[in-house]
Amino acid sequence: MFITCLDLEGVLIPEIWIAVAKRMKIPELEITTRDEPDYDKLMKKRIEILNMNNITLNDIQTIIKSMTPLLGAKEFLDWLQEYSEILILTDSYREFAKPMVKALGNYALFCHNLEINEEGKIVKYNLRLRNMKKITIQKLKELNFVLIAVGDSYNDIEMLKEADFGILFRPPENVKAEYPQFPSIFEYAELKENIKEILTS
Ligand SMILES: [Mg+2]
């Protein structure tokens, strides 16, 4: 029995913070973990910027609802669900990710969550646990599943290492170069072929 754990942003949908930054015309929101490796600092900064600009969760959800999955993502998942259970494993937040996961076919979603005040502003983020991606893979392996993991960036590497089969999908050049042990794949058709091989190996 296979479970395929897929990262969300960059693999199935565009980057949410980048879309919010562009739509709201706030370039400071385009900073990512590549610019600020300390995730806690990065998230606190993002929340501060949102509140300084009076942006509510509702405003962000409106932007997210107008976003569409990456071209071919849904068709790929439609194919994959015939052969493998699907788990979307993301460091994003339920309040952001859920509408996009619905558009993709409403697969199981493991993520973090946000705390919202009575004005609808984001006041805090809660990590469900640290290293969630890696620990999820470990625990599912203990249940005797064979794990395929697909991710695009540094925060996916631990889960790729832990899985039986790790795949980089559309990684930036530096991630691709640093982790040559994982195949780097750029198109869904090729990803499908790669997973087909795993399923029949
Ligand atoms: Mg990603």
Side-chain angles (χ1 to χ4, degrees):
M1 274 285 280
F2 286 88
I3 299 184
T4 305
C5 294
L6 299 115
D7 175 40
L8 182 63
E9 292 175 68
V11 172
L12 299 169
I13 69 166
E15 297 284 340
I16 291 173
W17 286 105
I18 305 277
V20 173
K22 292 224 158 74
R23 199 72 62 87
M24 294 289 182
K25 299 194 169 56
I26 305 172
E28 303 99 283
L29 276 181
E30 284 191 42
I31 47 166
T32 69
T33 43
R34 277 176 233 163
D35 315 298
E36 174 53 78
D38 183 331
Y39 187 73
D40 187 54
K41 262 194 191 166
L42 176 67
M43 271 310 294
K44 283 184 175 150
K45 181 89 194 146
R46 282 169 170 168
I47 292 172
E48 193 188 305
I49 295 170
L50 291 178
N51 289 331
M52 264 166 36
N53 289 278
N54 286 315
I55 297 170
T56 62
L57 173 65
N58 199 28
D59 297 327
I60 297 177
Q61 284 174 331
T62 303
I63 295 171
I64 293 171
K65 277 182 195 144
S66 74
M67 288 168 67
T68 47
L70 295 174
L71 194 64
K74 186 173 187 308
E75 293 69 19
F76 165 73
L77 293 176
D78 286 347
W79 167 80
L80 182 61
Q81 55 90 25
E82 293 282 340
Y83 307 98
S84 165
E85 297 305 318
I86 291 172
L87 173 60
I88 296 177
L89 196 46
T90 169
D91 282 328
S92 184
Y93 303 93
R94 188 172 173 83
E95 293 77 5
F96 291 178
K98 194 63 185 170
M100 292 306 288
V101 171
K102 269 191 185 164
L104 287 164
N106 233 351
Y107 297 100
L109 168 66
F110 284 11
C111 59
H112 307 297
N113 78 295
L114 297 169
E115 274 180 39
I116 312 301
N117 70 10
E118 43 314 324
E119 294 167 346
K121 287 186 177 166
I122 299 168
V123 287
K124 196 169 169 273
Y125 73 96
N126 296 320
L127 292 186
R128 215 162 46 75
L129 85 165
R130 290 210 177 268
N131 299 321
M132 176 184 68
K133 293 188 186 214
K134 177 185 176 179
I135 296 168
T136 301
I137 301 272
Q138 282 173 344
K139 297 297 172 191
L140 292 173
K141 274 171 81 179
E142 282 175 24
L143 296 176
N144 262 347
F145 289 101
V146 179
L147 270 293
I148 303 171
V150 186
D152 71 320
S153 197
Y154 286 116
N155 68 331
D156 298 309
I157 296 301
E158 289 300 311
M159 90 163 169
L160 264 60
K161 283 183 178 167
E162 205 60 41
D164 298 286
F165 303 93
I167 301 170
L168 284 168
F169 187 69
R170 298 186 181 168
E173 215 26 72
N174 49 338
V175 175
K176 182 185 169 193
E178 247 176 89
Y179 299 98
Q181 67 266 49
F182 304 118
S184 279
I185 290 177
F186 291 86
E187 294 307 326
Y188 290 110
E190 200 190 333
L191 183 58
K192 193 170 151 180
E193 285 313 310
N194 197 290
I195 291 179
K196 254 189 203 169
E197 264 174 45
I198 293 169
L199 296 169
T200 54
S201 65

